[in-house]
Amino acid sequence: MWRNPVSLSFSALKPYSLCNYALSRVLNKTLTTVKMKTLDESDVGIFCFISNLPGFRGILKQRYSDFIVNEVGADGNVVHLTCLDAPPEAVVEHKEMKRSDQLNKSYASEIESFRSLAGDSDADCLKALINQITSGNSEDSISPVVLSANSDKSHRTAIHNFFKENFKFLVTDTIDGPDASSKCIRVRLNSGGNNGSGRNSKKRKERGDNPFDSRGSENWPEHQGKFLRFHLYKENKDTQEALGLIGKMLGIQSRSFGFAGTKDKRAVSTQRVTVFKQHASRLAALNKRLIGIQVGDFCYVKEGLLLGQLQGNRFTVTLRGVVANSEDVIKASANSLGRLGFINYFGLQRFGSGSVPTQLVGATLLRGEWKAAVSMILDPREGDILFILQCLKKCPGNFLQALKAIPRTLRMMYVHSYQSYLWNHAASMRVEKYGTEQVVVGDLVYSKADNTEEMTCVNSECEAENCNDIDDCGQLDEVSATELPVGRNNLVKVRFISYSLLKFFAISDVEPIS
């Protein structure tokens, strides 16, 4: 069987007829009329291709191992998993006060300081809790205390920090308050402490409530970066699913992790992830228990990863069941791809596989139609909708609050999907109007040449021979220049009028895999 393992977008090769797919045709459909079929390119704004060849068809991702994704970091390095071992841990220079010394100490001055911070009622609750602990009562008989409801997040943060600095034997977390706009801080004895039993020594069902919201390990070495960066290798799992499982095993929430981009579920992928104040040894120990997931290549860094902090992804794709008019058509299509490249559309996987396209949800969110957005997300689809249902149970009719219950990275995926649709539609319209053989006013120009080389001015009102440097062109209206993030090569000369967008990938290193 012939295989085409190159990094490609099949939309450049498929023999679909061109059509002017109006923006409103997708975005104005209501839930009562949307009966989703399998998405094709025209549904996501793609209606122009760079080649007129008949193309060929094949099965993509028949096996998840047919689609291999390696993230390319902002530094240009391709991410691979090469080492599962944890590096030597830094030694904390100061020693912890022994548990017995902590409990024998008088905390009268600390309680008075807390009284000025939180008020008499909360200070009295804290005093009663400490009296129970120092009186020698058994841990099982000491109940946590819940402080007064507080809607000021900065004030709650100050209280958390106060306990960290003054009461090492107590731990705090945040729970829901009596109404949707407030939260309460819960204070309890740190049963893990320094006695070796660990925070999660009891099973969750024995604790009888939710696990703590981990703020990272205490007593972090000052000279060591506060974020642990590692490479996440996963098979047939999406990024959120994998990190959710790891977070559950570590006893931390999924939002503790940072990553530059989500990777396909039906694939074998490797990407960088960061987590706040977690020791590499804890994550490395999970490899024995994880199935289809591995973590490694650990290092400590100063900053956590954010969405978009990558150059792209490297794909190794295997096609199966290839069908074409002849082998010559296959060769011609592959040669065209290597010679002309392809329009860099966002592919179908960007728009989900549920009954409602994710770009429709994103457009609804941008319009502020919270109830409609919730209805779309709750429409039968793949994915975890537990966040929304739990919030609606607590706060019926508060659809905005229900949407906020979804992790921010997932919410942003809906908006990014709509953004991707707009990109596809704009790029298709650009190609339909001007073709692909010439650069016109409004294009972003990609240059592999050295940044100091002169560039030809692209302006219908400025002849090239009279304008050797683009900076000499004073006739462009609303010309702007954009700097790329630090650490990335400035290969894109951004001199444009904002009404037109086009972007091509030139493929120069396509080689078939035998």
Side-chain angles (χ1 to χ4, degrees):
M1 182 179 295
W2 189 90
R3 293 183 179 180
N4 181 1
V6 300
S7 306
L8 56 82
S9 168
F10 297 121
S11 60
L13 306 176
K14 287 184 178 179
Y16 294 123
S17 60
L18 303 182
C19 63
N20 187 356
Y21 202 87
L23 182 63
S24 60
R25 182 176 178 183
V26 171
L27 300 183
N28 293 333
K29 286 182 179 179
T30 63
L31 286 176
T32 56
T33 58
V34 173
K35 300 296 183 181
M36 277 301 298
K37 59 181 177 61
T38 301
L39 284 176
D40 60 30
E41 280 79 1
S42 63
D43 294 314
V44 297
I46 300 172
F47 51 83
C48 282
F49 307 107
I50 203 169
S51 169
N52 292 323
L53 292 168
F56 60 89
R57 295 180 180 273
I59 300 175
L60 177 65
K61 299 184 182 180
Q62 185 178 49
R63 306 170 186 172
Y64 67 81
S65 56
D66 290 343
F67 201 74
I68 301 175
V69 185
N70 293 88
E71 186 172 271
V72 181
D75 54 8
N77 292 325
V78 181
V79 178
H80 296 277
L81 183 63
T82 60
C83 178
L84 301 180
D85 299 327
E89 299 287 358
V91 178
V92 180
E93 295 180 358
H94 65 280
K95 295 182 179 180
E96 272 290 306
M97 183 187 296
K98 292 182 179 180
R99 178 73 173 271
S100 58
D101 294 337
Q102 293 176 6
L103 299 183
N104 291 330
K105 177 185 173 182
S106 172
Y107 286 94
S109 61
E110 286 83 353
I111 291 174
E112 291 308 309
S113 297
F114 183 70
R115 189 181 303 276
S116 63
L117 175 64
D120 292 338
S121 176
D122 288 343
D124 292 341
C125 289
L126 175 60
K127 183 177 180 180
L129 175 63
I130 293 177
N131 287 338
Q132 287 188 63
I133 296 172
T134 55
S135 297
N137 295 337
S138 64
E139 291 186 5
D140 293 338
S141 65
I142 299 174
S143 301
V145 298
V146 177
L147 304 182
S148 302
N150 191 335
S151 59
D152 187 345
K153 184 176 181 179
S154 61
H155 188 247
R156 295 198 305 269
T157 300
I159 293 176
H160 285 300
N161 291 335
F162 184 88
F163 278 93
K164 285 184 179 180
E165 295 172 3
N166 297 281
F167 300 99
K168 300 294 185 182
F169 57 93
L170 298 176
V171 290
T172 61
D173 65 342
T174 302
I175 61 176
D176 292 333
D179 55 70
S181 63
S182 65
K183 300 286 184 180
C184 295
I185 292 178
R186 178 173 52 183
V187 186
R188 69 175 76 188
L189 178 66
N190 183 3
S191 58
N194 298 309
N195 57 12
S197 60
R199 171 183 294 177
N200 294 317
S201 58
K202 294 183 179 181
K203 294 181 180 179
R204 183 180 303 180
K205 63 181 180 180
E206 294 174 351
R207 291 201 301 263
D209 46 35
N210 294 327
F212 291 126
D213 175 15
S214 175
R215 305 293 177 179
S217 300
E218 296 181 354
N219 307 318
W220 197 259
E222 294 183 1
H223 62 279
Q224 182 171 279
K226 293 184 179 181
F227 291 86
L228 173 66
R229 191 180 73 192
F230 60 95
H231 291 180
L232 169 67
Y233 170 93
K234 59 183 182 63
E235 299 176 349
N236 207 26
K237 294 178 177 63
D238 61 36
T239 303
Q240 290 286 352
E241 178 185 0
L243 293 180
L245 179 59
I246 293 173
K248 184 177 181 180
M249 296 170 73
L250 292 175
I252 63 177
Q253 296 184 356
S254 298
R255 66 185 180 186
S256 301
F257 297 98
F259 51 88
T262 55
K263 300 296 180 278
D264 300 73
K265 176 177 181 179
R266 191 164 179 78
V268 176
S269 66
T270 309
Q271 66 184 114
R272 285 175 177 168
V273 179
T274 56
V275 62
F276 181 66
K277 282 189 177 182
Q278 292 293 325
H279 292 291
S281 56
R282 292 195 69 202
L283 273 79
L286 301 181
N287 285 318
K288 297 178 180 179
R289 301 160 55 192
L290 291 168
I291 300 175
I293 302 172
Q294 287 187 311
V295 293
D297 297 288
F298 303 100
C299 68
Y300 295 97
V301 295
K302 294 181 179 180
E303 301 291 339
L305 281 172
L306 300 174
L307 287 174
Q309 291 182 333
L310 75 168
Q311 284 196 9
N313 300 286
R314 174 172 290 182
F315 299 91
T316 303
V317 180
T318 299
L319 292 181
R320 301 183 185 275
V322 175
V323 177
N325 295 335
S326 66
E327 188 172 332
D328 290 338
V329 170
I330 297 174
K331 291 181 178 179
S333 298
N335 289 335
S336 173
L337 177 68
R339 183 167 47 87
L340 301 176
F342 59 91
I343 305 171
N344 192 31
Y345 291 121
F346 288 98
L348 299 179
Q349 75 277 4
R350 184 80 168 193
F351 302 92
S353 58
S355 59
V356 177
T358 53
Q359 71 270 25
L360 281 179
V361 180
T364 305
L365 289 173
L366 288 174
R367 290 196 295 264
E369 298 172 0
W370 314 128
K371 183 177 181 180
V374 168
S375 298
M376 289 180 175
I377 296 172
L378 292 180
D379 194 74
R381 60 186 298 114
E382 294 181 2
D384 188 1
I385 59 176
L386 187 60
F387 300 108
I388 290 180
L389 295 177
Q390 288 178 336
C391 191
L392 287 177
K393 183 179 179 181
K394 294 180 181 178
C395 308
N398 193 335
F399 299 103
L400 176 58
Q401 192 68 25
L403 290 168
K404 289 182 178 180
I406 304 174
R408 184 177 183 276
T409 50
L410 290 180
R411 297 200 308 268
M412 290 305 297
M413 283 179 61
Y414 292 116
V415 178
H416 291 164
S417 177
Y418 177 56
Q419 181 184 29
S420 301
Y421 172 81
L422 293 180
W423 166 265
N424 286 352
H425 200 275
S428 290
M429 291 181 66
R430 161 59 176 82
V431 175
E432 183 181 52
K433 186 172 182 179
Y434 295 109
T436 61
E437 300 301 323
Q438 61 179 347
V439 179
V440 298
V441 174
D443 289 343
L444 310 185
V445 181
Y446 178 84
S447 173
K448 288 188 176 181
D450 185 82
N451 293 341
T452 60
E453 291 186 4
E454 295 180 344
M455 294 184 61
T456 302
C457 174
V458 182
N459 191 332
S460 59
E461 301 178 13
C462 180
E463 295 297 328
E465 58 266 26
N466 297 324
C467 186
N468 293 325
D469 192 294
I470 195 166
D471 289 327
D472 292 333
C473 298
Q475 310 212 13
L476 289 177
D477 294 330
E478 301 180 11
V479 173
S480 61
T482 301
E483 294 183 0
L484 292 177
V486 176
R488 297 182 64 174
N489 294 328
N490 191 12
L491 298 178
V492 179
K493 305 297 185 181
V494 187
R495 309 283 183 181
F496 64 95
I497 299 174
S498 60
Y499 60 74
S500 178
L501 295 172
L502 179 65
K503 181 180 181 185
F504 287 99
F505 271 12
I507 299 179
S508 58
D509 57 353
V510 175
E511 295 182 0
I513 296 178
S514 58

